[in-house]
């Protein structure tokens, strides 16, 4: 066929949807020829990326046609051992029947025997609802392994966080600090913003042990030792206070700096805010009757009383003799010894540099202040003629979060940002709807094991925001009630759960065994676990009677990962090009600073083979199991399918609040709330899959305490209460837990062996402490910190099987400063061992000046197990790639009770401390040729296809691919993706 004829007969189409090659959710245009994806580019009309696409986004085509695709439901063969990956295809009818029978029994007998944990999905509003309706508390997504400390540390302080819920206003900032951030969080949107910022003359300072990615284009790179950022922030707080360089007007009115703290040490209210018994509390969760010391009248008054001027410094005595102090005084005292010299010893940053950073902040705040002529009214009725801000912005992520001191480090950062007055102001940090939320939000986890009842939904969502010991989910004796021990005394504020503890705990039966573990899109046998080698053994370990210790493992994924080998039942998920999805305000939207934005995905190609979206699996199971929210009054199925569910689900009967905010109301004319609109999907599809609701300018800033914004947020389902979100420089929540640990309060108290731990780490003011792992590590033997980053060109483990992206990163080295390497006689590209107290790996070293000498690092997610992801067993990813997780322990010896072990996690939030590991490096054998450890090669699963066939078919085009794929799925051809 000549080219002309071929062109005339071809059907060319272009469809818009939303990318999911990473979590940024850019708008994309997918170009198809005869129904096959041929090309993907950025959608110029999409507000988030404005046409920009990255290497990952344009390589989605190779994800779609990846040989690692699972295409059929698979059941472990009778008699085959788990882990041997011996499966037989089954129909969806069979798969659903197995699940329905098993889950119905668990729900009717003991719902907590079912656990659902998910990876980096974007539908936690649905998965959380499923768990709640099932009645199991054993649910969480990947946040506990990712950046839960970032969310918790900031939300408990300022009611908002980086990433989906807020970010740096680089359009207006003059000085920008990026701290502990690799390339993987915030891709295109941040690249676009940084490019504009630098062109406009902004100064960009990167503080990171490693200079890669964004840090590579920084005006200044300040290397820092991993796990020490909190010390830097404490010193900067001290400098800002000492130099009187903080925004006093902001701090006085919009933080709790002026609120008076009870200083009676013997009292059960020691360290709590004084309440005025004669003033209304208004809301027990967020009392509104705290006091200031008014410097005009020299007496205590209700906070924000007309004309009052709060003291920030000093100690006072109330009329009844109670000694008190403004919380700012306690903050000043807390940082008094945190001199730049003190921080320099810890961080490796020279004291002069730390002073220089503080001075630069002070200068920019003083000399480049932004004033916008926007009138707004605060929560106490005062109208302000302008919105002002110091144009100093920050962005931080996992580099701060993945340490066992991450929560307090991030608290310190949020306090520093607040002292600069940069919260929801131009040039600083800006919230994105539905944030800000209360600090902490009012949603609480279950707090009584008796709430788990057969055939009953939980009364609350499984995850929430504890504010006091009474919110913990523990038994009367204080023992944990969740399988991951979240919301127990071990990890009280585990707002994202502890996905990384589930397999270990279930294997050990601590706090109890479970029956069925459903894992969605999480590679727990590889990237998403610490102590990977042992976790893989736990997955196949049996009781003496031959029963697996975790009896039934269901894995839902689009790809043949390391984890699928361990499944008893595999459910093949779709790709993002094959399904409906929502990026919802109920979950993780793509909101802009000026108002809520949500977006959707619509299928641009049909599902491959027998793949089914996990969303459809959940809707089907919820309907079969007759969950109340999925069943009509007469017992019938309420929602036809996932799109029908998205359109018609409301958070409460007739609330008008649903998953999508655009084109609501029966005729599609309402925004944010309104009745369900049966044509809502069509409208999104017609409008680039995105809806942007801009707020009036007067509602766009200072939203922590913007009275009219609060009213709008309550009226539109974004907030439960319209009370101001006063910034928590001093955290009464933390002090409440500390008082319980000290035995000063009645009610729930921690078990004795955890009292000292709670009392130490639940400091109401931020502080720095060394990561916990250092207490059990011989630092002179393991002198180096080891961390990972994900490359710009890959996201999670999905992309190291992508034929195009593999050409950028097909294997990984350990990056070592030449000074460190040569001291050990290690050559560039030489084979080495990297050893921690917990294990060792063999890999190659690569000299790099872009890492501080006390740190070594590697890319995460490139090293693979042999044969996994349908790669050839001799592919570079397994033979020359390696995974640092083999060196990381998932548990640490308890610091207070011999023999007990605790998760290697933050003692406040349970965030995995996987950046805390210490290592040593030394030359490997002269004849080393592969990385270690190696595992027996996985083999292709039924339904996977040959890459040779696929590539030939792809380039032949004309629908041949689809035909071959069907044939391959039918006959179970083997793959070869080397
Ligand atoms: S930044 Fe992320 S969402 Fe945007 S195009 Fe790249 S991979 Fe896709």
């Amino acid at each position: 066929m000549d080219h002309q004829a071929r062109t005339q007969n071809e059907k060319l189409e272009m469809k818009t949807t939303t990318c999911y090659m990473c979590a940024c959710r850019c708008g994309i245009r997918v170009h198809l020829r005869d129904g096959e994806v041929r090309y993907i580019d950025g959608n110029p009309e999409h507000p988030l990326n404005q046409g920009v696409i990255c290497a990952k986004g344009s390589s989605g085509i190779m994800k779609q046609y990846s040989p690692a695709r699972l295409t059929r439901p698979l059941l472990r063969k009778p008699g085959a051992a788990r882990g041997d990956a011996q499966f037989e295809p089954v129909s969806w009818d069979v798969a659903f029947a197995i699940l329905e029978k098993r889950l119905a029994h668990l729900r009717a007998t003991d719902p907590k025997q079912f656990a659902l944990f998910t990876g980096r999905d974007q539908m936690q509003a649905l998965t959380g609802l499923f768990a709640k309706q099932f009645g199991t508390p054993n649910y969480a997504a990947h946040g506990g392994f990712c950046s839960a400390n970032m969310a918790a540390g900031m939300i408990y302080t300022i009611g908002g966080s980086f990433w989906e819920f807020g970010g740096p206003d680089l359009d207006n900032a003059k000085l920008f600090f990026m701290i502990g951030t690799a390339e993987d969080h915030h891709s295109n949107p941040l690249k676009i913003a940084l490019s504009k910022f630098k062109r406009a003359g902004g100064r960009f300072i990167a503080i990171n042990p490693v200079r890669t990615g964004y840090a590579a284009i920084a005006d200044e790179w300040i290397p820092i030792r991993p796990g020490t950022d909190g010390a830097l922030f404490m010193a900067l707080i001290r400098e800002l206070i000492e130099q009187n360089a903080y925004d006093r007007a902001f701090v006085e009115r919009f933080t709790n700096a002026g609120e008076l703290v009870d200083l009676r040490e013997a009292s059960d209210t020691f360290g709590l805010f004084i309440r005025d018994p004669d003033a209304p509390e208004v809301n027990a969760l967020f009392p509104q009757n705290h006091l200031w010391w008014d410097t005009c009248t020299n007496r205590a008054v209700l906070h924000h009383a007309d004309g009052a001027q709060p003291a920030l410094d000093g100690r006072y005595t109330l009329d009844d003799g109670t000694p008190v102090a403004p919380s700012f005084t306690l903050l000043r005292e807390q940082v008094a010894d945190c001199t730049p010299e003190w921080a320099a010893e810890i961080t490796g940053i020279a004291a002069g540099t730390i002073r220089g950073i503080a001075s630069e902040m002070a200068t920019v705040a003083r000399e480049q202040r932004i004033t916008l002529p926007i009138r707004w009214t605060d929560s106490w009725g005062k109208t302000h003629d302008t919105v002002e801000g110091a144009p100093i912005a920050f962005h931080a992520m996992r580099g701060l979060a993945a340490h066992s001191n991450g929560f307090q480090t991030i608290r310190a950062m949020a306090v520093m940002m607040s002292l600069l007055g940069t919260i929801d102001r131009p040039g600083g940090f800006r919230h994105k709807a539905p944030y800000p939320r209360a600090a902490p939000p009012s949603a609480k986890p279950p707090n009584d094991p008796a709430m788990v009842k057969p055939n009953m939904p939980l009364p609350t969502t499984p995850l929430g925001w504890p504010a006091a010991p009474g919110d913990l989910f523990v038994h009367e004796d204080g023992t944990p009630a969740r399988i991951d021990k979240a919301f127990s005394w071990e990890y009280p504020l585990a707002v994202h759960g502890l996905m990384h503890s589930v397999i270990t705990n279930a294997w050990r039966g601590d706090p109890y065994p479970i029956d069925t573990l459903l894992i969605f899109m999480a590679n727990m046998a590889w990237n998403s676990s610490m102590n990977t080698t042992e976790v893989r053994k736990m997955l196949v370990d049996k009781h003496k009677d031959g029963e697996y210790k975790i009896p039934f493992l269901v894995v839902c994924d689009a790809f043949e990962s390391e984890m699928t080998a361990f499944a008893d039942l595999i459910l093949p998920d779709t790709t993002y090009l094959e399904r409906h999805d929502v990026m919802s305000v109920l979950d993780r939207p793509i909101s802009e600073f000026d108002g809520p934005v949500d977006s959707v995905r619509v299928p641009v190609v049909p599902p491959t083979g027998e793949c089914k979206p996990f969303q459809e699996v959940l809707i089907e199971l919820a309907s079969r199991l007759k969950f109340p929210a999925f069943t009509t009054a007469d017992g019938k199925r309420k929602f036809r399918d996932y799109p029908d569910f998205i359109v018609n689900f409301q958070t409460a009967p007739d609330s008008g609040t649903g998953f999508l905010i655009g084109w609501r109301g029966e005729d599609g004319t309402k925004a944010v709330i309104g009745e369900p609109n049966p044509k809502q999907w069509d409208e999104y599809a017609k409008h680039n899959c995105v809806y942007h609701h801009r707020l009036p300018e007067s509602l766009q800033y200072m939203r922590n305490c913007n009275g009219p914004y609060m009213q709008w947020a309550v009226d539109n389902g974004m907030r439960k209460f319209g009370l101001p979100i006063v910034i928590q420089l001093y955290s009464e929540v933390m002090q409440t837990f500390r008082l319980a640990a000290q035995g000063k309060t009645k009610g729930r108290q921690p078990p004795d062996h955890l009292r000292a731990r709670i009392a130490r780490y639940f400091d109401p003011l931020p502080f720095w402490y060394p990561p916990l792992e250092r207490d059990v590590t011989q630092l002179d033997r393991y002198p180096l910190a080891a961390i990972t980053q994900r490359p710009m060109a890959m996201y999670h483990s999905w992309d190291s099987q992508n034929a195009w992206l593999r050409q950028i990163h097909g294997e990984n080295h350990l990056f070592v400063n030449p000074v460190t390497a040569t001291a050990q006689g290690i050559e560039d590209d030489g084979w080495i061992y990297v050893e921690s107290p917990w294990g060792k790996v063999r890999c190659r070293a690569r000299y790099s000046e872009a890492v501080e000498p006390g740190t070594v690092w590697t890319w995460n997610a490139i090293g693979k197990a042999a044969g996994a992801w349908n790669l050839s067993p001799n592919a570079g990813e397994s033979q020359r790639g390696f995974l640092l997780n083999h060196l990381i322990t998932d548990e640490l010896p308890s610091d207070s009770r011999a023999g007990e072990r605790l998760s290697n996690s933050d003692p406040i939030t349970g965030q995995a401390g996987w950046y805390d590991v210490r290592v040593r490096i030394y030359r490997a054998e002269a004849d080393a040729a592969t990385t270690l450890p190696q595992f027996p090669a996985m083999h292709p699963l039924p339904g996977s296809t040959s890459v040779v066939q696929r590539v030939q078919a792809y380039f032949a085009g004309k629908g041949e691919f689809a035909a071959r794929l069907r044939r391959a799925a039918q006959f179970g051809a083997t793959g070869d993706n080397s």
Side-chain angles (χ1 to χ4, degrees):
M1 188 183 296
D2 65 38
H3 176 74
Q4 185 65 27
R6 180 174 163 150
T7 303
Q8 281 170 355
N9 291 335
E10 285 166 348
K11 186 178 172 209
L12 302 177
E13 295 170 278
M14 190 271 287
K15 298 181 181 177
T16 58
T17 186
T18 304
C19 185
Y20 195 9
M21 290 297 285
C22 83
C24 284
R25 293 153 285 192
C26 298
I28 50 171
R29 303 189 299 191
V30 183
H31 303 262
L32 302 119
R33 186 177 75 194
D34 294 338
E36 287 181 13
V37 180
R38 306 298 297 183
Y39 179 58
I40 299 173
D41 63 357
N43 182 352
E45 292 172 28
H46 197 278
L48 200 70
N49 56 317
Q50 304 145 43
V52 175
I53 194 152
C54 73
K56 301 183 293 273
S58 52
S59 302
I61 189 166
M62 286 296 156
K63 177 179 261 185
Q64 178 64 23
Y65 298 131
S66 163
R69 288 289 305 271
L70 297 163
T71 62
R72 311 177 72 173
L74 300 172
L75 189 63
R76 181 161 57 88
K77 279 185 178 166
R82 184 188 285 170
D84 285 354
Q86 298 289 329
F87 293 98
E88 59 189 16
V90 291
S91 67
W92 274 103
D93 282 346
V94 169
F96 277 127
I98 291 169
L99 284 169
E100 183 182 351
K101 185 172 170 207
R102 194 156 194 128
L103 297 186
H105 171 70
L106 296 180
R107 188 164 187 261
T109 51
D110 186 4
K112 70 176 184 302
Q113 291 287 308
F114 168 63
L116 168 61
F117 284 81
T118 74
R120 208 331 176 176
D121 65 306
Q122 294 180 340
M123 52 179 191
Q124 287 153 33
L126 172 59
T127 51
L129 177 68
F130 185 91
K132 177 184 175 189
Q133 290 282 311
F134 188 93
T136 180
N138 292 327
Y139 158 80
H142 82 306
F145 198 62
C146 180
S147 293
N149 270 336
M150 185 57 65
M154 287 189 74
I155 291 171
Y156 273 83
T157 307
I158 65 167
S161 180
F162 289 125
W163 193 207
E164 285 105 331
F165 304 129
D169 176 14
L170 292 184
D171 281 350
N172 294 298
K174 305 288 184 205
L175 180 60
F176 176 49
F177 293 90
M178 187 179 265
I179 310 166
T181 305
E183 291 82 342
D184 55 340
H185 277 103
H186 271 318
S187 191
N188 278 348
L190 193 55
K191 286 180 216 155
I192 297 167
L194 271 176
S195 154
K196 281 196 216 161
F197 174 76
K198 293 254 308 177
R199 279 170 214 270
R203 188 164 135 73
F204 171 15
I205 298 176
I207 302 175
N208 201 316
V210 178
R211 183 174 200 176
T212 61
Y214 296 130
I217 61 160
D219 297 292
E220 185 176 351
W221 171 47
I222 299 177
I224 186 170
R225 295 176 186 142
T228 67
D229 310 79
L232 172 65
F233 299 140
M234 294 298 285
L236 289 171
I237 291 171
R238 180 185 182 278
E239 287 300 295
L240 291 175
I241 293 175
E242 290 291 312
Q243 294 179 25
N244 225 10
Y246 60 95
D247 184 334
R248 186 172 181 111
F250 181 91
V251 167
E252 279 178 359
R253 191 159 182 90
F254 304 113
T255 78
N256 63 12
E259 294 181 15
L260 298 178
V261 177
D262 188 337
L263 298 183
R264 292 171 299 170
E265 282 200 35
S267 165
D268 61 359
T269 54
F270 172 65
L272 301 183
F273 289 116
I274 298 283
R275 288 157 169 73
D276 181 349
D278 299 327
E281 184 182 56
V282 181
N283 184 310
L285 279 177
F286 311 106
Q288 299 296 303
N289 55 353
H290 296 172
L291 297 176
W292 282 351
W293 190 267
D294 179 20
T295 55
C296 302
T297 58
N298 205 24
R299 64 185 179 87
V301 298
L302 193 63
H303 72 98
H304 293 92
D306 279 348
Q309 186 67 41
L312 296 187
D313 286 300
R315 288 171 180 254
Y316 305 91
T317 306
L318 300 183
D319 290 346
D320 64 2
T322 304
V324 296
S327 69
F328 190 83
T329 296
L330 305 182
L331 175 65
R332 186 191 279 276
E333 292 168 5
Q334 179 92 343
V335 298
D337 295 333
C338 301
T339 60
E341 286 72 20
W342 167 82
E345 281 286 308
I346 296 166
T347 61
I349 301 173
T353 305
I354 296 172
R355 283 203 175 84
I357 295 171
S359 293
E360 192 167 354
M361 288 175 174
T363 304
V364 171
R366 194 172 52 243
E367 297 177 2
Q368 303 199 51
R369 194 167 182 80
I370 296 176
T371 302
L372 301 178
I374 297 171
R375 271 172 78 82
W376 66 284
T377 304
D378 72 25
S379 295
W380 301 279
K382 181 174 174 185
T383 297
H384 305 255
D385 290 331
T386 56
V387 170
E388 299 188 10
I392 306 171
F394 298 84
H395 185 56
M397 215 60 212
R398 192 177 308 108
L400 269 58
H403 295 286
S404 52
N405 60 9
F407 177 86
Q408 288 287 14
T409 291
I410 290 158
R411 276 265 299 143
M413 180 185 65
V415 166
M416 178 186 70
M417 291 163 59
S418 303
L419 291 178
L420 289 165
T422 59
I423 308 303
D424 211 30
R425 288 173 130 189
F429 170 86
R430 300 290 310 284
H431 289 299
K432 295 179 183 176
Y435 283 79
R437 285 191 162 145
S442 51
K444 304 297 171 212
N447 65 352
D448 181 352
M451 288 173 166
V452 180
K453 295 188 176 128
N455 283 331
M456 289 283 287
L458 292 174
T460 70
T461 53
L463 300 174
W465 303 85
D471 296 329
L472 295 183
F473 191 35
V474 290
H475 293 275
E476 261 183 36
D477 62 359
T479 53
R482 276 178 60 114
I483 186 68
D484 59 359
K485 305 190 182 182
F487 310 120
S488 73
W489 289 103
E490 292 181 17
Y491 325 101
L493 308 187
V495 297
H496 285 182
L498 285 84
M499 182 180 82
H500 48 286
S501 292
V502 171
I503 290 171
T504 305
N505 292 358
W507 165 77
R508 191 178 284 141
D510 173 20
Y512 45 78
I514 57 170
D515 177 89
T516 296
L517 174 59
L518 170 49
I519 296 282
F520 170 54
M521 219 178 91
N523 198 1
M524 304 298 295
W526 203 250
N527 297 73
S528 295
S529 286
M530 303 189 276
N531 196 14
T532 310
T533 309
E534 292 305 310
V535 165
R536 291 165 65 93
K537 290 180 194 159
M538 294 172 194
L539 289 168
V540 297
D541 195 21
K542 292 180 175 175
H543 293 289
K544 285 200 181 102
D545 65 3
E547 174 76 272
Y548 285 108
K549 290 197 170 166
I550 304 173
F552 198 60
L553 266 169
V554 186
V555 176
C556 180
D557 209 310
F559 302 104
E560 192 181 317
S561 71
E562 284 86 349
M563 184 65 197
T564 52
F566 297 93
D568 298 301
L569 176 64
I570 295 175
L571 308 175
D573 191 21
T574 45
T575 68
Y576 67 103
L577 298 176
E578 297 172 341
R579 64 171 181 253
H580 291 90
D581 257 337
V582 295
M583 276 57 71
S584 164
V585 173
L586 298 185
D587 194 332
R588 292 165 171 248
I590 60 165
S591 295
E592 298 278 340
F593 300 147
D594 63 8
V597 188
D598 63 12
S599 64
V600 302
R601 294 191 183 95
V602 291
V604 297
V605 288
T608 297
E610 295 172 30
C611 292
K612 197 180 276 293
F614 187 53
Q615 294 95 326
E616 295 290 2
V617 172
L618 292 181
I619 302 290
E620 179 68 29
L621 285 173
S623 306
R624 287 181 184 224
L625 296 169
K626 297 199 182 306
F627 292 172
F630 292 78
T631 309
T632 60
D634 56 0
K636 297 217 171 70
R637 178 184 183 124
K638 203 170 189 178
F639 305 110
R640 191 174 57 247
D641 52 20
Y642 178 68
D644 187 45
F645 165 77
I646 289 299
V647 165
N648 290 304
F649 175 81
Q650 296 183 65
T651 51
D654 299 324
S655 70
T657 300
F659 273 81
L660 292 172
I661 59 169
W663 299 283
R664 296 196 70 85
E666 279 163 21
D667 58 358
T669 57
K670 294 184 181 169
V672 188
I673 64 167
E675 308 76 32
N677 168 14
K679 299 211 168 118
Q680 201 174 23
W681 280 106
D682 300 339
E683 293 294 344
Y684 274 86
K686 271 193 270 178
H687 293 89
N688 295 301
C689 296
V690 62
Y691 183 83
H692 187 168
H693 182 80
R694 281 190 187 78
L695 294 165
E697 268 193 334
S698 60
L699 306 192
Q700 288 182 14
Y701 295 92
M702 296 297 293
R703 281 165 285 193
N704 284 60
C705 299
N706 183 323
Y709 171 78
M710 286 299 170
Q711 192 57 52
W712 179 88
V714 171
D715 293 345
N716 286 277
M718 306 273 167
R719 292 208 61 206
K720 192 168 177 187
F721 308 113
L723 298 167
I725 305 161
V726 174
I727 291 168
Q728 305 289 294
L729 296 188
Y730 183 94
S731 172
E732 196 173 67
V733 169
M734 305 298 283
Q735 179 66 9
T736 305
F737 279 93
R738 178 177 263 185
L739 287 173
Q742 292 169 338
K744 287 190 173 163
T745 47
K746 297 193 177 68
R748 279 183 172 166
Q749 307 232 333
D752 286 344
H753 70 281
L754 292 171
R755 282 185 189 277
R757 173 174 154 113
I758 299 277
R760 169 160 164 72
Y761 298 113
F762 277 73
D763 192 316
L765 289 163
F767 75 111
W768 181 82
Y769 56 92
L772 304 186
E773 189 165 340
R774 295 198 191 165
D775 290 345
V776 294
T777 302
Q778 217 183 314
L779 292 176
D780 53 351
R781 182 170 170 81
Y782 302 102
L784 300 170
I787 57 173
T788 61
Q789 304 205 79
R790 280 193 305 236
M792 188 75 85
M794 290 183 176
Y795 193 67
H796 286 254
S797 46
W798 304 331
D799 293 327
S800 44
Q801 45 85 29
N802 185 302
W804 287 355
L805 299 176
R806 289 182 69 207
Q807 296 175 47
I808 302 173
H809 301 282
E811 47 196 58
N812 56 319
H813 289 75
L814 188 81
F815 292 99
V816 188
N817 190 292
V819 173
T820 312
T822 50
Q824 296 292 320
I826 292 169
E827 292 166 5
D828 190 21
D829 208 31
W831 285 95
I832 59 168
Y833 281 103
V834 190
E835 184 186 306
S836 78
W838 325 106
K840 67 179 179 182
V841 296
R842 190 170 70 190
C843 65
R844 282 170 304 158
R846 168 67 27 97
Y847 285 7
S848 172
E849 303 273 0
V851 56
E852 69 97 18
T855 302
V856 293
W857 73 278
T858 189
W859 297 120
N860 194 14
I862 290 171
K864 294 278 174 241
W869 299 83
N870 215 354
L871 300 177
S872 164
N874 59 10
E877 284 80 355
S878 62
Q879 302 306 297
R880 291 178 298 285
F882 73 102
L883 184 70
L884 201 75
N885 300 40
H886 296 305
L887 302 181
I888 304 172
T889 182
D890 60 339
E891 295 184 314
L892 294 174
S894 164
D895 53 7
S896 55
R897 193 168 57 167
E900 284 287 328
R901 299 182 75 83
L902 290 163
S903 177
N904 180 12
S905 297
D906 189 300
I908 298 165
T909 62
Q911 151 102 49
W914 58 300
Y915 281 16
D916 287 344
V917 69
R918 307 287 298 193
V919 301
R920 65 187 187 118
I921 55 175
Y922 49 91
R923 287 167 61 160
E925 306 86 346
D927 60 349
T930 63
T931 50
L932 293 175
Q934 291 286 327
F935 298 90
M938 290 174 65
H939 50 80
L941 300 183
S944 61
T945 54
S946 156
V947 73
V948 176
Q949 285 177 334
R950 283 181 178 230
V951 169
Q952 285 169 346
Y954 175 74
F955 285 104
K958 301 296 294 174
E960 188 59 18
F961 168 77
R964 283 176 185 265
L965 185 57
R966 271 198 302 278
R967 284 202 298 277
Q970 198 174 352
F971 297 113
T974 56
D976 178 7
N977 195 17
S978 58

